[in-house]
Each structure stands twice: as structure tokens, then as C-alpha cells.
Amino acid sequence: MYLLTKLALFAVAISNVAFVASAPTPIELVKRADLQPRAASITTRDGRLFTIDGRTQYFAGTNTWWLGHLFSNADVDAALSQIAATGYKVTRLWGFGTSNNPAATPWQVYYQVLNSTGQYFNYNPDNGIARLDYAISAAGKLGIKIILVLNNNYDDLGGINTYTNVYGGTHNGFYTNTAAQTAYKNYIKFIVNRYKASTTIFSWELMNEPRCSGCASSIITKWASDTSAYIKYLDPQHMVSLGDEGWLTSTSSYVPNYEQSYAYTGYEGVDFEKNLAIPTLDYGTVHMYANQWGYNYTWGNTWIAQHNTIGKKLGKPVVLEEYAVPDGEDRVGIMCPWQDTVVKKTSIAGDMMWQFGTKFPSGAQPLDNYAVYYNTNDLQTLGNAHAKVMAAKTAVATL
């Protein structure tokens, strides 16, 4: 999801939460939390599908960007129990949280500080990395896997901007800014080393929706190649994904009749097919916001099929990682055909709606108008029922 909607409604209820922010601790070796769930195994790629806890399968999942940014354990537990009850196997959350000035946003959890004095990690148990520790540990106990996103294209919770604020340059220049990339890799090392023993991690994801608008696609392709190789050096066992929206170009292998429209121009500096060919990226990610991008909703079926074709060509899994329809529209009528395309007409390995909605015990409200709430008719159809269909689908990828 892009723009600022992911954080715009984040009014966390902290009136009953007391904490004292400690001074940031300089980068140092840290003890890994005990994050091992019950009997489980590291998720791996099996052709165009995934082997999750020893079983090759299709899956349905969701997005919960906020899970590691909640102050309340009860909120985390409530959300995860509902996600498990829905039948979701995987959820995706922000593994980043960078601040240039944490005193200015005392209502936010943050994991890292970047400023003129250096780079620091926040070990405060109330508003630091312990919040992410708890989310990962709690997910593992329920057998839920986590896609952990390591940076953000947008400003929410400290994305590219928090690096360029300190190390200079422009948003687009981030991908080739040596100082910024050094700091980014320091953060990657901190996160990957902390959780690489955990079977709860589904994959490390380089960034939420990387874009380099107006750039040659070779810039992000090189950055993705270099960064994913670095992660594989730190952790050869877990998978790595890019987190892109799946933009295609006129040179892609399957873009009939759409060559001049937005999603196919390459304007955002991303070439899905070239990136999927990177050896150290294990699978492809696709996002879909037809209405925001200027397409009708039925176009979504074409977008899904096109990426499935490229995945088949390259022999790698493809995950429809975000897709959504805003509140107030006929979500079931619009999204069921997309899900039918995934199930019946493609070998898309998994799909994940944006985003899971719940009423938090604390009153926290990090959700936007795309949230599909637990125990509603919409989620019963688009979540519970669809998850059962995906889980029952024969684990072969021939389409």
C-alpha cells in the first residue's frame, strides 16, 4: 500500500502505558531473544510453491504492518489469535521503525535512531525492539509465519527519508548512496542476526514498494541484487523477497494491450521480470490497487495472470502480496473473482489481502479504510472460506 494511509490513522492508545525512554545504545552485539516456536521448520521454496513446516502447499495470508508497533501484548495476542482462526498461514509486518528524533514522536515504537551523532538501536523494553520480539514470538506459538519488511519507500515509520535526512541526497539517490546503504546494511545485520534462528520468519523483504520514479530500472535491480546477496551471506537458510508492486515494462514478456498505461511504462523504475531473475531473490511479489492506479477492477484478473506467466517462465513462486478494495464498495463482488483467478487459473503460490482488521483491547487504531475486519461477512468469505480453498488446493504448479 502506498501514500500515507498506513500511518494516517495510527492513533495508538497509550494513556494506560507508562514507559521511560532510555538513551539509545550504540551498535553492539546483542543476545537473540528465544524466538523458537513449537515443532516447526524454516520455510523453503519448492519449485513455484513453498514448503511450510514440512508441507508443500498453497496459502492465504494477510498484512498486519502494525503488529510489531503495538505497545500492548494483549493487542498482539488478540490479533494473532484471530488471524489463526481465520486460517491464515502468513502475515506481513514492518520490521523497520527508524526515527531521526524520537522525542518528537513519543507515541511511536521505534527500533533505530539515525542522526548526526550516529546510528543506534533501541533496546527499551516498552517502545523498542522488544515489541517486535514479542510479535514474532507470539506468531510462532500459533504457527503463523512472518514476512519481515526491512525498509519503506514512504515516510511512514521511518523509510528512505530517515536515511537521506542524515546522509544527504534525494529519495531516488538512496539506492546508490554509499553512506545510506552502509547504515541500511547495518540495520539489516542487526535484524537478520537477531531472528535468523527463528522458524517463524517466512522471508526477509528488502523494502515495502521500492520505487525510483523516472529512473532506469537497472538501479533498483542492481540494489536488489546486492542487498539480497548480503542477506543470503548473513542467513543462507531463509528466503528473501523484494517487496515491489510488480511493475511491468513494454519489454516484459507478457504485456499485451497495455503497453502505454501506467503499470507497464516502467516509470517507477522497477522491472518485475528482471528482478525475479535475480538468483538471490527467492520469489516475486505483486501488489494490486486497481482503483488507485487508474484501472477498472476487472483488470485485476489480467494483472494476476500476467505475473503468473512470468513466474512460470522463470520457474519461481509469485505471491499476490497486497490487494484491496476500500470500505464502502462491494468487496466480495470485486475480490472474489480475483481470488477465483488465483485458485482456478494460475499457480500463484499465495495471496495476502491488505489488511487484517480487528478491534484492539487497548483501543489502538492503526487501520485504514482498506481493513477487512474479523468476524464480518466480508472476512468470512474473503478470508476464512478462501483460506480453506487455498489450503486444500493440490500442491502442484502446472498453470
Side-chain angles (χ1 to χ4, degrees), residues 67-397:
L67 198 64
H69 287 266
L70 297 170
F71 285 95
S72 165
N73 289 352
D75 287 351
V76 174
D77 292 339
L80 284 169
S81 66
Q82 293 171 3
I83 289 167
T86 303
Y88 287 141
K89 300 279 189 181
V90 182
T91 191
R92 177 171 171 261
L93 60 130
W94 290 177
F96 59 85
T98 303
S99 178
N100 300 132
N101 180 19
T105 54
W107 59 85
Q108 286 185 5
V109 170
Y110 64 98
Y111 310 140
Q112 172 182 223
V113 177
L114 293 175
N115 59 32
S116 60
T117 68
Q119 180 177 23
Y120 310 95
F121 301 138
N122 181 16
Y123 300 113
N124 186 310
D126 297 309
N127 70 341
I129 194 65
R131 301 311 310 145
L132 185 59
D133 289 348
Y134 186 84
I136 292 173
S137 177
K141 291 174 183 177
L142 293 173
I144 297 169
K145 304 299 184 181
I146 286 176
I147 296 172
L148 200 61
V149 187
L150 299 169
N151 204 348
N152 200 5
N153 178 60
Y154 313 108
D155 291 349
D156 305 355
L157 297 172
I160 285 176
N161 65 301
T162 54
Y163 289 85
T164 57
N165 288 345
V166 176
Y167 301 108
T170 63
H171 177 282
N172 284 359
F174 167 81
Y175 301 99
T176 56
N177 182 321
T178 301
Q181 290 304 306
T182 297
Y184 173 50
K185 286 182 177 179
N186 284 341
Y187 184 72
I188 288 173
K189 184 177 181 179
F190 167 60
I191 292 293
V192 170
N193 282 345
R194 193 171 185 86
Y195 303 121
K196 68 182 181 182
S198 173
T199 58
T200 301
I201 300 300
F202 184 91
S203 71
W204 311 110
E205 194 154 278
L206 304 191
M207 184 179 291
N208 174 53
E209 299 183 349
R211 293 180 178 185
C212 189
S213 302
C215 302
S217 64
S218 58
I219 292 175
I220 282 184
T221 298
K222 183 180 186 306
W223 168 81
S225 181
D226 292 346
T227 308
S228 59
Y230 177 65
I231 295 175
K232 288 289 190 180
Y233 164 75
L234 295 173
D235 176 15
Q237 296 189 86
H238 284 94
M239 296 185 296
V240 181
S241 52
L242 178 52
D244 62 309
E245 294 145 289
W247 303 116
L248 300 177
T249 73
S250 59
T251 60
S252 298
S253 61
Y254 190 69
V255 289
N257 305 318
Y258 289 100
E259 287 86 346
Q260 301 305 311
S261 63
Y262 172 58
Y264 304 90
T265 61
Y267 173 75
E268 300 298 354
V270 175
D271 186 326
F272 174 82
E273 184 167 353
K274 288 183 179 178
N275 294 334
L276 187 58
I278 295 172
T280 44
L281 288 179
D282 292 282
Y283 65 93
T285 60
V286 183
H287 297 186
M288 186 169 69
Y289 293 91
N291 60 326
Q292 289 187 8
W293 297 347
Y295 297 94
N296 59 46
Y297 284 126
T298 58
W299 165 84
N301 297 302
T302 298
W303 187 241
I304 295 166
Q306 288 169 331
H307 289 84
N308 179 71
T309 297
I310 294 171
K312 184 176 183 179
K313 174 184 175 183
L314 296 178
K316 285 188 177 181
V318 173
V319 175
L320 180 59
E321 189 177 65
E322 290 189 25
Y323 63 102
V325 171
D327 188 28
E329 299 202 39
D330 180 11
R331 284 170 159 165
V332 171
I334 294 167
M335 288 200 278
C336 272
W338 296 343
Q339 292 182 341
D340 284 346
T341 294
V342 167
V343 173
K344 300 174 182 178
K345 299 179 182 179
T346 74
S347 293
I348 295 290
D351 66 79
M352 308 171 67
M353 272 199 306
W354 182 277
Q355 64 170 309
F356 193 83
T358 186
K359 303 293 185 182
F360 295 99
S362 74
Q365 178 51 277
L367 306 175
D368 57 23
N369 69 330
Y370 287 92
V372 183
Y373 281 81
Y374 181 69
N375 208 26
T376 60
N377 290 335
D378 281 356
L379 193 67
Q380 287 290 330
T381 300
L382 298 168
N384 300 65
H386 179 60
K388 288 179 181 178
V389 171
M390 287 292 278
K393 186 174 178 179
T394 302
V396 295

Side-chain angles (χ1 to χ4, degrees), residues 1-128:
M1 183 77 182
Y2 73 119
L3 301 177
L4 298 179
T5 56
K6 288 173 177 169
L7 190 58
L9 297 179
F10 195 9
V12 178
I14 60 171
S15 58
N16 295 322
V17 178
F19 62 88
V20 177
S22 60
T25 304
I27 295 174
E28 59 186 11
L29 293 175
V30 298
K31 292 182 179 179
R32 288 194 300 268
D34 181 10
L35 298 165
Q36 282 300 102
R38 296 167 298 162
S41 59
I42 289 177
T43 303
T44 57
R45 191 177 87 203
D46 182 0
R48 294 173 61 203
L49 302 178
F50 302 107
T51 299
I52 303 173
D53 290 337
R55 177 173 170 255
T56 300
Q57 59 190 284
Y58 289 91
F59 73 87
T62 190
N63 283 268
T64 52
W65 70 264
W66 32 263
L67 198 64
H69 287 266
L70 297 170
F71 285 95
S72 165
N73 289 352
D75 287 351
V76 174
D77 292 339
L80 284 169
S81 66
Q82 293 171 3
I83 289 167
T86 303
Y88 287 141
K89 300 279 189 181
V90 182
T91 191
R92 177 171 171 261
L93 60 130
W94 290 177
F96 59 85
T98 303
S99 178
N100 300 132
N101 180 19
T105 54
W107 59 85
Q108 286 185 5
V109 170
Y110 64 98
Y111 310 140
Q112 172 182 223
V113 177
L114 293 175
N115 59 32
S116 60
T117 68
Q119 180 177 23
Y120 310 95
F121 301 138
N122 181 16
Y123 300 113
N124 186 310
D126 297 309
N127 70 341

